[in-house]
Amino acid sequence: RKEVEQDPGPFNVPEGATVAFNCTYSNSASQSFFWYRQDCRKEPKLLMSVYSSGNEDGRFTAQLNRASQYISLLIRDSKLSDSATYLCVLKMDTGRRALTFGSGTRLQVQP
Amino acid sequence: DGGITQSPKYLFRKEGQNVTLSCEQNLNHDAMYWYRQDPGQGLRLIYYSQIVNDFQKGDIAEGYSVSREKKESFPLTVTSAQKNPTAFYLCASSWRSPTSGANVLTFGAGSRLTVL
């Protein structure tokens, strides 16, 4: 089983729609969780950290469910500029400080 | 402005040749990383360094080598021993978030290596 699993998509949604992605992880000792955004042929950039109580940043809401071992990202009022690949990222509790990346979910917002 | 600079952006190599990818940061970050990304896949860790003159193998270190002689620099050499070197290579450095305490990565723009 992969350490981090994401639906590759693509999720094709119209402008203004609400869309949600999930990401499941296999290591229950994972400590920290993030969503990164990657535009086509560009480097990933941090979108937001994911906190246990859930957190919101404008149109974006991230949640963590430790019992079921998944995190989610909700995007409200989708914009064309939201089209990108969204990477689920976590830090394992293995003493290694590097992060583990999922393969990403591609979002395409259409006019 | 602070950031991470990778060069070259595009590189073509013949089979059997070694090639070195440059990564320089002026963010004063202690930790630096090299990841590889293949189409439709997530990033895989090649090597990382938490401090000058020290580095650790990641998940796919075979066929690669690194050095960390200066805090600002973490070059990656792709050797002829790497069986499938064509990929997008990303260098990153990290800082610790004061809010979450977690390490947050900042990436360079990447180097795209193609082996002919």
PDB file of all heavy atoms in Angstrom, chain B residues 74-86:
ATOM      1  N   PHE B  74      23.881  22.976  -2.573  1.00  0.00           N
ATOM      2  CA  PHE B  74      23.636  21.544  -2.428  1.00  0.00           C
ATOM      3  C   PHE B  74      23.539  20.932  -3.835  1.00  0.00           C
ATOM      4  O   PHE B  74      22.461  20.569  -4.307  1.00  0.00           O
ATOM      5  CB  PHE B  74      22.345  21.320  -1.636  1.00  0.00           C
ATOM      6  CG  PHE B  74      22.097  19.894  -1.193  1.00  0.00           C
ATOM      7  CD1 PHE B  74      23.128  19.096  -0.717  1.00  0.00           C
ATOM      8  CD2 PHE B  74      20.810  19.368  -1.209  1.00  0.00           C
ATOM      9  CE1 PHE B  74      22.891  17.791  -0.276  1.00  0.00           C
ATOM     10  CE2 PHE B  74      20.555  18.069  -0.770  1.00  0.00           C
ATOM     11  CZ  PHE B  74      21.599  17.287  -0.303  1.00  0.00           C
ATOM     12  N   PRO B  75      24.663  20.780  -4.527  1.00  0.00           N
ATOM     13  CA  PRO B  75      24.618  20.263  -5.896  1.00  0.00           C
ATOM     14  C   PRO B  75      24.346  18.752  -5.943  1.00  0.00           C
ATOM     15  O   PRO B  75      24.762  18.009  -5.052  1.00  0.00           O
ATOM     16  CB  PRO B  75      26.022  20.584  -6.432  1.00  0.00           C
ATOM     17  CG  PRO B  75      26.884  20.640  -5.209  1.00  0.00           C
ATOM     18  CD  PRO B  75      26.012  21.176  -4.108  1.00  0.00           C
ATOM     19  N   LEU B  76      23.673  18.344  -6.996  1.00  0.00           N
ATOM     20  CA  LEU B  76      23.336  16.931  -7.219  1.00  0.00           C
ATOM     21  C   LEU B  76      24.011  16.450  -8.494  1.00  0.00           C
ATOM     22  O   LEU B  76      23.879  17.085  -9.542  1.00  0.00           O
ATOM     23  CB  LEU B  76      21.821  16.768  -7.366  1.00  0.00           C
ATOM     24  CG  LEU B  76      21.309  15.375  -7.763  1.00  0.00           C
ATOM     25  CD1 LEU B  76      21.393  14.424  -6.576  1.00  0.00           C
ATOM     26  CD2 LEU B  76      19.868  15.453  -8.271  1.00  0.00           C
ATOM     27  N   THR B  77      24.737  15.346  -8.397  1.00  0.00           N
ATOM     28  CA  THR B  77      25.335  14.731  -9.583  1.00  0.00           C
ATOM     29  C   THR B  77      24.547  13.487  -9.953  1.00  0.00           C
ATOM     30  O   THR B  77      24.343  12.600  -9.116  1.00  0.00           O
ATOM     31  CB  THR B  77      26.805  14.377  -9.351  1.00  0.00           C
ATOM     32  OG1 THR B  77      27.539  15.584  -9.121  1.00  0.00           O
ATOM     33  CG2 THR B  77      27.404  13.669 -10.560  1.00  0.00           C
ATOM     34  N   VAL B  78      24.107  13.463 -11.199  1.00  0.00           N
ATOM     35  CA  VAL B  78      23.416  12.290 -11.739  1.00  0.00           C
ATOM     36  C   VAL B  78      24.476  11.482 -12.472  1.00  0.00           C
ATOM     37  O   VAL B  78      25.042  11.948 -13.467  1.00  0.00           O
ATOM     38  CB  VAL B  78      22.283  12.700 -12.693  1.00  0.00           C
ATOM     39  CG1 VAL B  78      21.499  11.487 -13.151  1.00  0.00           C
ATOM     40  CG2 VAL B  78      21.362  13.712 -12.017  1.00  0.00           C
ATOM     41  N   THR B  79      24.796  10.320 -11.978  1.00  0.00           N
ATOM     42  CA  THR B  79      25.889   9.549 -12.565  1.00  0.00           C
ATOM     43  C   THR B  79      25.373   8.608 -13.651  1.00  0.00           C
ATOM     44  O   THR B  79      24.162   8.380 -13.781  1.00  0.00           O
ATOM     45  CB  THR B  79      26.630   8.733 -11.492  1.00  0.00           C
ATOM     46  OG1 THR B  79      25.812   7.620 -11.126  1.00  0.00           O
ATOM     47  CG2 THR B  79      26.944   9.591 -10.275  1.00  0.00           C
ATOM     48  N   SER B  80      26.297   8.022 -14.367  1.00  0.00           N
ATOM     49  CA  SER B  80      25.931   7.082 -15.426  1.00  0.00           C
ATOM     50  C   SER B  80      25.316   5.809 -14.850  1.00  0.00           C
ATOM     51  O   SER B  80      24.731   5.013 -15.582  1.00  0.00           O
ATOM     52  CB  SER B  80      27.167   6.745 -16.264  1.00  0.00           C
ATOM     53  OG  SER B  80      28.190   6.245 -15.438  1.00  0.00           O
ATOM     54  N   ALA B  81      25.429   5.621 -13.543  1.00  0.00           N
ATOM     55  CA  ALA B  81      24.845   4.440 -12.900  1.00  0.00           C
ATOM     56  C   ALA B  81      23.338   4.556 -12.713  1.00  0.00           C
ATOM     57  O   ALA B  81      22.671   3.559 -12.425  1.00  0.00           O
ATOM     58  CB  ALA B  81      25.505   4.215 -11.537  1.00  0.00           C
ATOM     59  N   GLN B  82      22.805   5.761 -12.864  1.00  0.00           N
ATOM     60  CA  GLN B  82      21.359   5.959 -12.726  1.00  0.00           C
ATOM     61  C   GLN B  82      20.674   5.436 -13.986  1.00  0.00           C
ATOM     62  O   GLN B  82      20.904   5.936 -15.086  1.00  0.00           O
ATOM     63  CB  GLN B  82      21.057   7.439 -12.502  1.00  0.00           C
ATOM     64  CG  GLN B  82      19.589   7.849 -12.580  1.00  0.00           C
ATOM     65  CD  GLN B  82      18.635   6.995 -11.770  1.00  0.00           C
ATOM     66  OE1 GLN B  82      17.656   6.472 -12.280  1.00  0.00           O
ATOM     67  NE2 GLN B  82      18.938   6.840 -10.508  1.00  0.00           N
ATOM     68  N   LYS B  83      19.805   4.440 -13.806  1.00  0.00           N
ATOM     69  CA  LYS B  83      19.249   3.733 -14.960  1.00  0.00           C
ATOM     70  C   LYS B  83      18.246   4.554 -15.755  1.00  0.00           C
ATOM     71  O   LYS B  83      18.166   4.440 -16.975  1.00  0.00           O
ATOM     72  CB  LYS B  83      18.551   2.442 -14.475  1.00  0.00           C
ATOM     73  CG  LYS B  83      19.455   1.486 -13.728  1.00  0.00           C
ATOM     74  CD  LYS B  83      20.615   1.026 -14.576  1.00  0.00           C
ATOM     75  CE  LYS B  83      21.481   0.050 -13.813  1.00  0.00           C
ATOM     76  NZ  LYS B  83      22.741  -0.238 -14.541  1.00  0.00           N
ATOM     77  N   ASN B  84      17.447   5.349 -15.094  1.00  0.00           N
ATOM     78  CA  ASN B  84      16.405   6.133 -15.778  1.00  0.00           C
ATOM     79  C   ASN B  84      16.480   7.582 -15.331  1.00  0.00           C
ATOM     80  O   ASN B  84      15.634   8.036 -14.564  1.00  0.00           O
ATOM     81  CB  ASN B  84      15.019   5.553 -15.468  1.00  0.00           C
ATOM     82  CG  ASN B  84      14.852   4.147 -15.976  1.00  0.00           C
ATOM     83  OD1 ASN B  84      14.870   3.902 -17.172  1.00  0.00           O
ATOM     84  ND2 ASN B  84      14.702   3.211 -15.048  1.00  0.00           N
ATOM     85  N   PRO B  85      17.482   8.318 -15.776  1.00  0.00           N
ATOM     86  CA  PRO B  85      17.702   9.655 -15.246  1.00  0.00           C
ATOM     87  C   PRO B  85      16.778  10.729 -15.803  1.00  0.00           C
ATOM     88  O   PRO B  85      16.708  11.821 -15.223  1.00  0.00           O
ATOM     89  CB  PRO B  85      19.147   9.951 -15.643  1.00  0.00           C
ATOM     90  CG  PRO B  85      19.362   9.127 -16.871  1.00  0.00           C
ATOM     91  CD  PRO B  85      18.541   7.895 -16.690  1.00  0.00           C
ATOM     92  N   THR B  86      16.084  10.473 -16.884  1.00  0.00           N
ATOM     93  CA  THR B  86      15.206  11.501 -17.454  1.00  0.00           C
ATOM     94  C   THR B  86      14.074  11.788 -16.482  1.00  0.00           C
ATOM     95  O   THR B  86      13.272  10.908 -16.167  1.00  0.00           O
ATOM     96  CB  THR B  86      14.633  11.035 -18.799  1.00  0.00           C
ATOM     97  OG1 THR B  86      15.701  10.914 -19.740  1.00  0.00           O
ATOM     98  CG2 THR B  86      13.606  12.026 -19.326  1.00  0.00           C
TER      99      THR B  86
END
